[in-house]
């Protein structure tokens, strides 16, 4: 049996894909999730995709790091699992909501991290891969963005990501047994090619791909394109979209990297493709994948958006031996398969 890994937030969109990657690579997992923005069904689907029926390969602790009454139970569960380390994806992630409810964002995201650190300390498992975000670069206008670029989040969600990166880095400075990878995701999209797991937003989607997918499936009328007067080739915003399965594989490589004795300390890696696509390019690629037109109209710019944002992904290629492989067409085809097979997400 392979190593044992905690996946905090493992039932969520990215977490469920990470679970599939790790199970396929032979790891045994303990998922800790409170299902605040996820569904237990996603873990049943993970089992189905991976063909893992042995409960010891994938166990679930339904608990909330932020609830004091859950804390001891989580720490006991982590200790009895005897993990080698953890992947930390537990947290709230909506930019706009974080502006409206900053206290909830700081309390939830920071407390989840404290709880996980406490559990890992108690279990003597000091390897952690953290789900950070390119949002830590804020409005840095220096594309492609490298890890050396200055940070400066522009919203509370981004601040929590940067604060957690700092906390974890400080742990590695205080105690050399700690090893950390902070993974700065660009724009995760797509779904597992099986169509069994994918992103299942609770409300009206904020992000481009889920919104387009809901227009394509008939749940929404029209895509609003937020601005067509940016200094980009077609005037619409440009982003570095990365297939969630490529992203998940990046976590596997980060775990392998940390378990190599030579790689102590804290490390930061961008996970992106290095290629930027505009809103119109994405709309058109999705229309091809779905075999239907996506109705759209130009709307004013969205407050806080930047014109262009894409990664310099060389460091991950060099150190993690990882590069994104899937094309925009595959991102759209896989996202569409998930959406069309599950028009209402996991709720059925
Ligand atoms: N867009 C539209 N219409 C929509 C939604 C989005 O035109 O309905 C545009 C945006 O203006 C932007 C692009 O599509 O140009 C991508 O927008 P997303 O909301 O999908 O993604 P963002 O780049 O704004 O933000 C994402 C995540 C954040 C994360 C950030 C990291 O949502 O959590 O990437 O850079 F912090």
């Amino acid at each position: 049996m392979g190593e044992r890994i905690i996946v905090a937030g493992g039932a969520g969109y990215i977490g469920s894909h990470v679970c599939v990657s790790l199970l396929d690579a032979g790891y045994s997992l303990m998922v800790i999730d409170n299902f605040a923005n996820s569904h237990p069904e996603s873990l049943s689907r993970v089992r189905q995709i991976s063909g893992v029926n042995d409960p010891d390969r994938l166990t679930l602790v339904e608990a909330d790091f932020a609830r004091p009454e859950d804390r001891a139970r989580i720490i006991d569960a982590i200790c009895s699992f005897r993990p080698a380390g953890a992947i930390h994806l537990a947290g709230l992630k909506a930019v706009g909501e974080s502006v409206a409810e900053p206290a909830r964002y700081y309390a939830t995201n920071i407390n989840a991290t404290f709880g996980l650190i406490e559990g890992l300390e108690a279990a003597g498992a000091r390897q952690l891969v953290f789900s950070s975000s390119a949002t830590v670069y804020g409005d840095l206008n220096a594309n492609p963005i490298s890890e050396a670029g200055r940070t400066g989040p522009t919203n509370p969600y981004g601040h929590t990501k940067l604060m957690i990166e700092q906390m974890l880095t400080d742990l590695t400075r205080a105690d050399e047994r700690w090893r950390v990878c902070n993974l700065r995701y660009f724009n995760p999209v797509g779904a597992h090619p099986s169509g069994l797991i994918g992103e299942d937003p609770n409300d009206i989607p904020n992000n481009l791909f889920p919104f387009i997918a809901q227009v394509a499936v008939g749940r929404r009328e029209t895509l609003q394109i937020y601005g067509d007067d940016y200094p980009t080739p077609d005037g619409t915003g440009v982003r570095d979209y990365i297939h969630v399965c490529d992203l998940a594989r990046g976590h596997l490589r980060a775990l392998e990297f940390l378990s190599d004795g030579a790689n102590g300390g804290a490390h930061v890696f961008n996970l992106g493709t290095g290629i930027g696509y505009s809103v119109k390019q994405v709309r058109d690629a999705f229309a091809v994948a779905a075999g239907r037109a996506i109705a759209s109209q130009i709307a004013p710019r969205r407050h806080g958006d930047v014109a262009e944002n894409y990664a310099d992904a060389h460091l991950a290629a060099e150190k993690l031996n990882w590069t994104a492989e899937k094309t925009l067409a595959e991102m759209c085809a896989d996202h569409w398969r998930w959406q069309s097979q599950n028009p209402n997400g996991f709720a059925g």
Side-chain angles (χ1 to χ4, degrees), residues 150-279:
R150 67 131 177 84
T151 53
T154 56
N155 57 72
Y157 159 73
H159 281 292
T160 68
K161 291 293 182 192
L162 193 58
M163 289 165 82
I164 294 166
E165 284 195 12
Q166 184 66 54
M167 281 163 51
L168 299 176
T169 304
D170 290 344
L171 287 184
T172 67
R173 290 184 181 146
D175 181 343
E176 64 182 16
R177 292 172 299 177
W178 272 103
R179 291 152 176 260
V180 169
C181 275
N182 291 313
L183 303 182
R184 294 179 178 166
Y185 310 158
F186 278 67
N187 290 52
V189 299
H192 190 271
S194 64
L196 288 168
I197 54 174
E199 189 169 13
D200 184 15
N202 273 338
D203 301 314
I204 301 173
N206 295 310
N207 299 120
L208 182 63
F209 260 75
F211 200 100
I212 291 181
Q214 291 195 2
V215 173
V217 84
R219 266 171 78 177
R220 307 203 181 270
E221 290 275 314
T222 310
L223 167 70
Q224 308 290 323
I225 297 180
Y226 298 139
D228 69 346
D229 56 354
Y230 284 108
T232 59
D234 66 18
T236 65
V238 166
R239 295 291 182 275
D240 185 336
Y241 298 96
I242 174 170
H243 194 295
V244 65
C245 292
D246 278 334
L247 192 72
R249 199 165 40 79
H251 294 70
L252 185 62
R253 291 288 158 78
L255 277 181
E256 291 165 358
F257 174 83
L258 290 182
S259 62
D260 180 331
N263 297 323
H267 307 266
V268 177
F269 296 107
N270 285 341
L271 295 186
T273 64
I275 302 169
Y277 288 106
S278 74
V279 176

Side-chain angles (χ1 to χ4, degrees), residues 1-2 4 23 26-31 43-44 46-48 50-60 81:
M1 194 159 62
R4 304 161 74 80
L23 288 171
Y27 288 88
S28 293
L29 309 179
M30 173 178 276
V31 167
L43 294 177
S44 309
V46 165
R47 285 199 180 85
Q48 195 181 335
S50 309
V52 164
N53 297 311
D54 177 355
D56 290 342
R57 292 285 314 282
L58 177 61
T59 53
L60 166 68
F81 187 62

